[in-house]
Amino acid sequence: EHSIHIPEASAMLPRRHCRRLLERTYSFAAVCGAGVAGCGLGLLLSRLDGQLRERQLPGAGFRVCCEDAVTPAQRALAEKLRSVVGQKFVTENVTEIGTMTGKGHAMVVVRPGSLRETTQVLEACLEAGVAIVPQGAKTGLTGGSVPRSCDRPMVVISTQRLQKILPIKDAGDAKQVLCFAGAGIFSVQETLKSYNRDSHSVLGSIFLNPSVAAGVAFGSGGTQIHKGPAFTNRALYCRVNAQGKMELVNTLGLSLQGDVLSFLDGAEELSLKDMDSKS
């Protein structure tokens, strides 16, 4: 018997051709599938991001501020604040939106430009019986600087005009620095470069210039007092006493004969002679 022998190479040609076609088909399908999946994922993330930005903080059962009855003292508050800080630094009926989350209504947003003005603003707000939201650079991710639902109208006190930075100089060096609440930690870093010192807090978001006050409250204060290259040693702050009155608490340790607010508002620089060595 004679059989017809088909060379192996010849027999494989059609199979290789089919394999190439299948590989091309699968590759094209894979690319299309990946593209569709990528578009779908992008749309989903975009939708979730939009929902996150629109999210409102929970109201804890309270009513929205703008629905509450406003007292005569609260109606007169905006004009009273203008007499303290100036016309252009008071805005009424503002919708505040957080950087990542939080959205709320503020009856008034006020921007004091000095420590004296800040204390006067606080006293006026206490007398009017409004809720107060301190606000720094509004770079936080949790919505803490944005008004939320409350049982009283809300006033935002912005610290963005309180940006004074005073290195305490000692023979050309500066081991400490006194900053107003609105000073940014990046601005502090830039100011202290000439002294080979670092900023109050060094964070991944330092380029956003978060405020020193937020650093004290969240980054280098309380249980986090020794976090980072620096820590908060002393402070000047306000609190409300049991009688509902504002008190000024001074732990700065300055060597003063007069009023600390007037001194700091007028100060252009500080040195060791301004510090009380006994404190």
Side-chain angles (χ1 to χ4, degrees):
E1 296 183 4
H2 298 279
S3 60
I4 300 174
H5 177 69
I6 301 176
E8 185 175 349
S10 301
M12 291 297 294
L13 281 174
R15 294 179 185 176
R16 286 184 180 177
H17 182 65
C18 291
R19 187 179 300 162
R20 286 172 186 158
L21 287 175
L22 288 173
E23 287 174 352
R24 289 173 184 171
T25 303
Y26 290 152
S27 299
F28 179 73
V31 170
C32 290
V36 171
C39 290
L41 181 60
L43 291 172
L44 177 61
L45 291 175
S46 177
R47 182 178 177 183
L48 290 174
D49 182 66
Q51 291 175 348
L52 181 63
R53 291 179 182 275
E54 291 296 323
R55 185 183 301 169
Q56 292 193 20
L57 294 173
F62 293 118
R63 295 169 291 170
V64 177
C65 293
C66 54
E67 295 177 350
D68 294 322
V70 180
T71 68
Q74 292 165 352
R75 286 195 181 92
L77 180 60
E79 200 58 37
K80 189 172 184 178
L81 295 178
R82 288 188 179 98
S83 69
V84 175
V85 304
Q87 184 78 19
K88 66 179 181 179
F89 299 117
V90 176
T91 310
E92 297 183 69
N93 298 318
V94 179
T95 298
E96 287 277 336
I97 300 176
T99 300
M100 287 298 295
T101 186
K103 182 179 180 181
H105 175 267
M107 185 181 75
V108 177
V109 175
V110 57
R111 297 176 289 279
S114 68
L115 299 182
R116 177 74 64 190
E117 288 182 1
T118 304
T119 58
Q120 292 173 346
V121 165
L122 282 168
E123 288 173 336
C125 289
L126 288 174
E127 290 173 3
V130 297
I132 299 169
V133 181
Q135 188 179 86
K138 209 163 72 170
T139 61
L141 304 180
T142 59
S145 61
V146 178
R148 59 179 295 181
S149 299
C150 184
D151 59 345
R152 294 167 288 164
M154 304 200 77
V155 172
V156 171
I157 300 179
S158 171
T159 61
Q160 284 296 280
R161 294 179 63 214
L162 303 171
Q163 299 202 13
K164 185 175 287 189
I165 301 170
L166 299 170
I168 302 173
K169 298 179 181 179
D170 176 20
D173 195 4
K175 296 180 180 180
Q176 293 178 302
V177 58
L178 189 151
C179 304
F180 282 18
I185 60 175
F186 180 79
S187 298
V188 175
Q189 185 180 63
E190 291 297 298
T191 301
L192 297 182
K193 277 183 177 179
S194 59
Y195 302 103
N196 197 28
R197 303 288 177 181
D198 220 332
S199 183
H200 176 279
S201 302
V202 178
L203 311 170
S205 60
I206 191 171
F207 67 96
L208 296 173
N209 213 19
S211 68
V212 166
V216 172
F218 304 115
S220 294
T223 59
Q224 303 297 312
I225 193 68
H226 289 291
K227 180 180 180 181
F231 65 94
T232 307
N233 193 8
R234 299 173 182 273
L236 175 72
Y237 61 94
C238 297
R239 68 184 178 193
V240 180
N241 62 24
Q243 291 72 44
K245 301 295 183 180
M246 189 205 76
E247 292 180 345
L248 187 66
V249 182
N250 180 11
T251 66
L252 291 177
L254 293 170
S255 178
L256 297 175
Q257 299 297 325
D259 174 42
V260 64
L261 298 181
S262 298
F263 174 78
L264 291 176
D265 281 336
E268 295 298 330
E269 61 179 27
L270 292 175
S271 66
L272 282 183
K273 67 181 180 59
D274 296 310
M275 306 304 295
D276 185 355
S277 59
K278 297 179 182 179
S279 65

mmCIF file of all heavy atoms in Angstrom, residues 43-71:
data_model
loop_
_atom_site.group_PDB
_atom_site.id
_atom_site.type_symbol
_atom_site.label_atom_id
_atom_site.label_comp_id
_atom_site.label_asym_id
_atom_site.label_seq_id
_atom_site.Cartn_x
_atom_site.Cartn_y
_atom_site.Cartn_z
ATOM 1 N N LEU A 43 -16.514 56.448 35.062
ATOM 2 C CA LEU A 43 -17.833 57.047 35.314
ATOM 3 C C LEU A 43 -18.300 56.792 36.735
ATOM 4 O O LEU A 43 -18.874 57.673 37.380
ATOM 5 C CB LEU A 43 -18.848 56.480 34.304
ATOM 6 C CG LEU A 43 -18.662 56.921 32.848
ATOM 7 C CD1 LEU A 43 -19.604 56.135 31.941
ATOM 8 C CD2 LEU A 43 -18.927 58.419 32.713
ATOM 9 N N LEU A 44 -18.046 55.570 37.236
ATOM 10 C CA LEU A 44 -18.450 55.241 38.603
ATOM 11 C C LEU A 44 -17.709 56.105 39.614
ATOM 12 O O LEU A 44 -18.306 56.654 40.546
ATOM 13 C CB LEU A 44 -18.184 53.760 38.874
ATOM 14 C CG LEU A 44 -18.488 53.267 40.312
ATOM 15 C CD1 LEU A 44 -19.966 53.463 40.627
ATOM 16 C CD2 LEU A 44 -18.098 51.803 40.458
ATOM 17 N N LEU A 45 -16.366 56.229 39.436
ATOM 18 C CA LEU A 45 -15.572 57.049 40.348
ATOM 19 C C LEU A 45 -15.980 58.510 40.293
ATOM 20 O O LEU A 45 -16.018 59.202 41.310
ATOM 21 C CB LEU A 45 -14.086 56.905 40.025
ATOM 22 C CG LEU A 45 -13.459 55.542 40.339
ATOM 23 C CD1 LEU A 45 -12.018 55.499 39.849
ATOM 24 C CD2 LEU A 45 -13.525 55.240 41.840
ATOM 25 N N SER A 46 -16.284 58.990 39.085
ATOM 26 C CA SER A 46 -16.730 60.375 38.935
ATOM 27 C C SER A 46 -18.044 60.608 39.670
ATOM 28 O O SER A 46 -18.235 61.622 40.340
ATOM 29 C CB SER A 46 -16.891 60.710 37.455
ATOM 30 O OG SER A 46 -17.393 62.007 37.282
ATOM 31 N N ARG A 47 -18.945 59.628 39.572
ATOM 32 C CA ARG A 47 -20.234 59.741 40.264
ATOM 33 C C ARG A 47 -20.054 59.710 41.769
ATOM 34 O O ARG A 47 -20.655 60.506 42.493
ATOM 35 C CB ARG A 47 -21.147 58.603 39.818
ATOM 36 C CG ARG A 47 -22.537 58.651 40.445
ATOM 37 C CD ARG A 47 -23.398 57.513 39.925
ATOM 38 N NE ARG A 47 -24.701 57.509 40.566
ATOM 39 C CZ ARG A 47 -25.634 56.587 40.352
ATOM 40 N NH1 ARG A 47 -25.389 55.587 39.510
ATOM 41 N NH2 ARG A 47 -26.790 56.662 40.972
ATOM 42 N N LEU A 48 -19.201 58.802 42.249
ATOM 43 C CA LEU A 48 -18.952 58.715 43.689
ATOM 44 C C LEU A 48 -18.285 59.985 44.208
ATOM 45 O O LEU A 48 -18.611 60.462 45.300
ATOM 46 C CB LEU A 48 -18.067 57.499 43.993
ATOM 47 C CG LEU A 48 -18.713 56.126 43.804
ATOM 48 C CD1 LEU A 48 -17.680 55.022 44.000
ATOM 49 C CD2 LEU A 48 -19.881 55.944 44.765
ATOM 50 N N ASP A 49 -17.355 60.546 43.414
ATOM 51 C CA ASP A 49 -16.697 61.783 43.818
ATOM 52 C C ASP A 49 -17.698 62.927 43.907
ATOM 53 O O ASP A 49 -17.661 63.739 44.833
ATOM 54 C CB ASP A 49 -15.591 62.127 42.820
ATOM 55 C CG ASP A 49 -14.838 63.388 43.203
ATOM 56 O OD1 ASP A 49 -14.159 63.366 44.243
ATOM 57 O OD2 ASP A 49 -14.937 64.385 42.473
ATOM 58 N N GLY A 50 -18.615 62.987 42.937
ATOM 59 C CA GLY A 50 -19.646 64.023 42.972
ATOM 60 C C GLY A 50 -20.541 63.895 44.187
ATOM 61 O O GLY A 50 -20.911 64.880 44.825
ATOM 62 N N GLN A 51 -20.906 62.642 44.506
ATOM 63 C CA GLN A 51 -21.739 62.416 45.681
ATOM 64 C C GLN A 51 -21.014 62.799 46.959
ATOM 65 O O GLN A 51 -21.599 63.369 47.875
ATOM 66 C CB GLN A 51 -22.159 60.944 45.741
ATOM 67 C CG GLN A 51 -23.137 60.538 44.652
ATOM 68 C CD GLN A 51 -23.423 59.043 44.673
ATOM 69 O OE1 GLN A 51 -22.731 58.269 45.354
ATOM 70 N NE2 GLN A 51 -24.433 58.616 43.930
ATOM 71 N N LEU A 52 -19.697 62.508 47.017
ATOM 72 C CA LEU A 52 -18.913 62.845 48.198
ATOM 73 C C LEU A 52 -18.836 64.345 48.391
ATOM 74 O O LEU A 52 -18.959 64.854 49.502
ATOM 75 C CB LEU A 52 -17.502 62.263 48.058
ATOM 76 C CG LEU A 52 -16.540 62.496 49.229
ATOM 77 C CD1 LEU A 52 -17.062 61.806 50.485
ATOM 78 C CD2 LEU A 52 -15.151 61.987 48.889
ATOM 79 N N ARG A 53 -18.639 65.077 47.301
ATOM 80 C CA ARG A 53 -18.525 66.528 47.394
ATOM 81 C C ARG A 53 -19.848 67.173 47.790
ATOM 82 O O ARG A 53 -19.869 68.252 48.377
ATOM 83 C CB ARG A 53 -18.027 67.105 46.069
ATOM 84 C CG ARG A 53 -16.588 66.746 45.776
ATOM 85 C CD ARG A 53 -16.140 67.315 44.433
ATOM 86 N NE ARG A 53 -14.778 66.922 44.127
ATOM 87 C CZ ARG A 53 -13.709 67.565 44.559
ATOM 88 N NH1 ARG A 53 -13.847 68.632 45.314
ATOM 89 N NH2 ARG A 53 -12.497 67.158 44.237
ATOM 90 N N GLU A 54 -20.948 66.544 47.464
ATOM 91 C CA GLU A 54 -22.256 67.096 47.794
ATOM 92 C C GLU A 54 -22.762 66.631 49.155
ATOM 93 O O GLU A 54 -23.772 67.106 49.645
ATOM 94 C CB GLU A 54 -23.292 66.698 46.721
ATOM 95 C CG GLU A 54 -23.045 67.387 45.379
ATOM 96 C CD GLU A 54 -23.207 68.901 45.476
ATOM 97 O OE1 GLU A 54 -24.106 69.351 46.216
ATOM 98 O OE2 GLU A 54 -22.430 69.612 44.841
ATOM 99 N N ARG A 55 -22.037 65.706 49.760
ATOM 100 C CA ARG A 55 -22.505 65.128 51.021
ATOM 101 C C ARG A 55 -22.585 66.182 52.108
ATOM 102 O O ARG A 55 -21.703 67.004 52.256
ATOM 103 C CB ARG A 55 -21.565 64.012 51.463
ATOM 104 C CG ARG A 55 -22.046 63.265 52.702
ATOM 105 C CD ARG A 55 -21.020 62.235 53.110
ATOM 106 N NE ARG A 55 -20.794 61.280 52.034
ATOM 107 C CZ ARG A 55 -19.793 60.414 52.059
ATOM 108 N NH1 ARG A 55 -18.934 60.405 53.060
ATOM 109 N NH2 ARG A 55 -19.638 59.569 51.068
ATOM 110 N N GLN A 56 -23.645 66.158 52.882
ATOM 111 C CA GLN A 56 -23.798 67.059 54.009
ATOM 112 C C GLN A 56 -23.533 66.301 55.288
ATOM 113 O O GLN A 56 -23.890 65.129 55.420
ATOM 114 C CB GLN A 56 -25.202 67.664 54.046
ATOM 115 C CG GLN A 56 -25.453 68.631 52.883
ATOM 116 C CD GLN A 56 -26.697 69.450 53.103
ATOM 117 O OE1 GLN A 56 -27.162 69.587 54.228
ATOM 118 N NE2 GLN A 56 -27.236 69.996 52.040
ATOM 119 N N LEU A 57 -22.905 66.972 56.208
ATOM 120 C CA LEU A 57 -22.653 66.341 57.494
ATOM 121 C C LEU A 57 -23.959 66.103 58.225
ATOM 122 O O LEU A 57 -24.905 66.873 58.092
ATOM 123 C CB LEU A 57 -21.743 67.238 58.340
ATOM 124 C CG LEU A 57 -20.335 67.407 57.781
ATOM 125 C CD1 LEU A 57 -19.589 68.442 58.606
ATOM 126 C CD2 LEU A 57 -19.578 66.102 57.787
ATOM 127 N N PRO A 58 -24.037 65.039 59.035
ATOM 128 C CA PRO A 58 -25.286 64.737 59.736
ATOM 129 C C PRO A 58 -25.660 65.840 60.697
ATOM 130 O O PRO A 58 -24.815 66.519 61.274
ATOM 131 C CB PRO A 58 -24.948 63.432 60.489
ATOM 132 C CG PRO A 58 -23.469 63.431 60.594
ATOM 133 C CD PRO A 58 -22.967 64.103 59.352
ATOM 134 N N GLY A 59 -26.951 66.009 60.874
ATOM 135 C CA GLY A 59 -27.445 67.100 61.704
ATOM 136 C C GLY A 59 -27.675 66.749 63.148
ATOM 137 O O GLY A 59 -28.076 67.607 63.926
ATOM 138 N N ALA A 60 -27.454 65.520 63.525
ATOM 139 C CA ALA A 60 -27.624 65.081 64.919
ATOM 140 C C ALA A 60 -29.018 65.408 65.454
ATOM 141 O O ALA A 60 -29.217 65.676 66.626
ATOM 142 C CB ALA A 60 -26.546 65.715 65.804
ATOM 143 N N GLY A 61 -30.004 65.414 64.548
ATOM 144 C CA GLY A 61 -31.378 65.619 64.992
ATOM 145 C C GLY A 61 -31.798 67.070 65.089
ATOM 146 O O GLY A 61 -32.949 67.365 65.372
ATOM 147 N N PHE A 62 -30.891 68.030 64.870
ATOM 148 C CA PHE A 62 -31.234 69.436 64.954
ATOM 149 C C PHE A 62 -31.825 69.922 63.636
ATOM 150 O O PHE A 62 -31.654 69.319 62.599
ATOM 151 C CB PHE A 62 -29.997 70.276 65.294
ATOM 152 C CG PHE A 62 -29.454 70.019 66.665
ATOM 153 C CD1 PHE A 62 -28.179 69.517 66.830
ATOM 154 C CD2 PHE A 62 -30.219 70.275 67.784
ATOM 155 C CE1 PHE A 62 -27.668 69.280 68.089
ATOM 156 C CE2 PHE A 62 -29.711 70.048 69.036
ATOM 157 C CZ PHE A 62 -28.442 69.542 69.205
ATOM 158 N N ARG A 63 -32.468 71.069 63.707
ATOM 159 C CA ARG A 63 -33.032 71.672 62.509
ATOM 160 C C ARG A 63 -31.970 72.465 61.767
ATOM 161 O O ARG A 63 -30.965 72.852 62.335
ATOM 162 C CB ARG A 63 -34.190 72.607 62.894
ATOM 163 C CG ARG A 63 -35.384 71.884 63.525
ATOM 164 C CD ARG A 63 -36.345 72.884 64.110
ATOM 165 N NE ARG A 63 -35.748 73.520 65.282
ATOM 166 C CZ ARG A 63 -36.270 74.581 65.889
ATOM 167 N NH1 ARG A 63 -37.370 75.125 65.427
ATOM 168 N NH2 ARG A 63 -35.687 75.101 66.948
ATOM 169 N N VAL A 64 -32.231 72.719 60.499
ATOM 170 C CA VAL A 64 -31.317 73.537 59.717
ATOM 171 C C VAL A 64 -31.415 74.975 60.203
ATOM 172 O O VAL A 64 -32.490 75.474 60.503
ATOM 173 C CB VAL A 64 -31.671 73.448 58.218
ATOM 174 C CG1 VAL A 64 -30.767 74.348 57.394
ATOM 175 C CG2 VAL A 64 -31.560 72.000 57.754
ATOM 176 N N CYS A 65 -30.256 75.668 60.257
ATOM 177 C CA CYS A 65 -30.200 76.996 60.861
ATOM 178 C C CYS A 65 -31.162 77.981 60.215
ATOM 179 O O CYS A 65 -31.789 78.776 60.899
ATOM 180 C CB CYS A 65 -28.777 77.541 60.787
ATOM 181 S SG CYS A 65 -27.637 76.602 61.814
ATOM 182 N N CYS A 66 -31.206 77.944 58.882
ATOM 183 C CA CYS A 66 -32.024 78.948 58.205
ATOM 184 C C CYS A 66 -33.512 78.744 58.460
ATOM 185 O O CYS A 66 -34.329 79.603 58.129
ATOM 186 C CB CYS A 66 -31.748 78.943 56.703
ATOM 187 S SG CYS A 66 -31.933 77.325 55.926
ATOM 188 N N GLU A 67 -33.916 77.593 59.037
ATOM 189 C CA GLU A 67 -35.307 77.352 59.354
ATOM 190 C C GLU A 67 -35.670 77.863 60.746
ATOM 191 O O GLU A 67 -36.833 77.961 61.092
ATOM 192 C CB GLU A 67 -35.605 75.845 59.277
ATOM 193 C CG GLU A 67 -35.456 75.266 57.871
ATOM 194 C CD GLU A 67 -35.681 73.776 57.855
ATOM 195 O OE1 GLU A 67 -35.757 73.187 58.948
ATOM 196 O OE2 GLU A 67 -35.788 73.200 56.766
ATOM 197 N N ASP A 68 -34.660 78.199 61.547
ATOM 198 C CA ASP A 68 -34.919 78.635 62.909
ATOM 199 C C ASP A 68 -35.340 80.097 62.935
ATOM 200 O O ASP A 68 -34.966 80.898 62.088
ATOM 201 C CB ASP A 68 -33.665 78.470 63.774
ATOM 202 C CG ASP A 68 -33.306 77.010 63.953
ATOM 203 O OD1 ASP A 68 -34.232 76.206 64.085
ATOM 204 O OD2 ASP A 68 -32.100 76.690 63.947
ATOM 205 N N ALA A 69 -36.094 80.440 63.964
ATOM 206 C CA ALA A 69 -36.465 81.830 64.175
ATOM 207 C C ALA A 69 -35.220 82.607 64.593
ATOM 208 O O ALA A 69 -34.462 82.185 65.455
ATOM 209 C CB ALA A 69 -37.542 81.908 65.246
ATOM 210 N N VAL A 70 -35.000 83.745 63.962
ATOM 211 C CA VAL A 70 -33.842 84.572 64.255
ATOM 212 C C VAL A 70 -34.258 85.682 65.197
ATOM 213 O O VAL A 70 -35.237 86.390 64.964
ATOM 214 C CB VAL A 70 -33.248 85.161 62.951
ATOM 215 C CG1 VAL A 70 -32.039 86.036 63.252
ATOM 216 C CG2 VAL A 70 -32.875 84.042 61.999
ATOM 217 N N THR A 71 -33.526 85.860 66.268
ATOM 218 C CA THR A 71 -33.839 86.879 67.263
ATOM 219 C C THR A 71 -33.413 88.259 66.759
ATOM 220 O O THR A 71 -32.593 88.372 65.847
ATOM 221 C CB THR A 71 -33.132 86.581 68.589
ATOM 222 O OG1 THR A 71 -31.717 86.739 68.393
ATOM 223 C CG2 THR A 71 -33.414 85.153 69.062
#
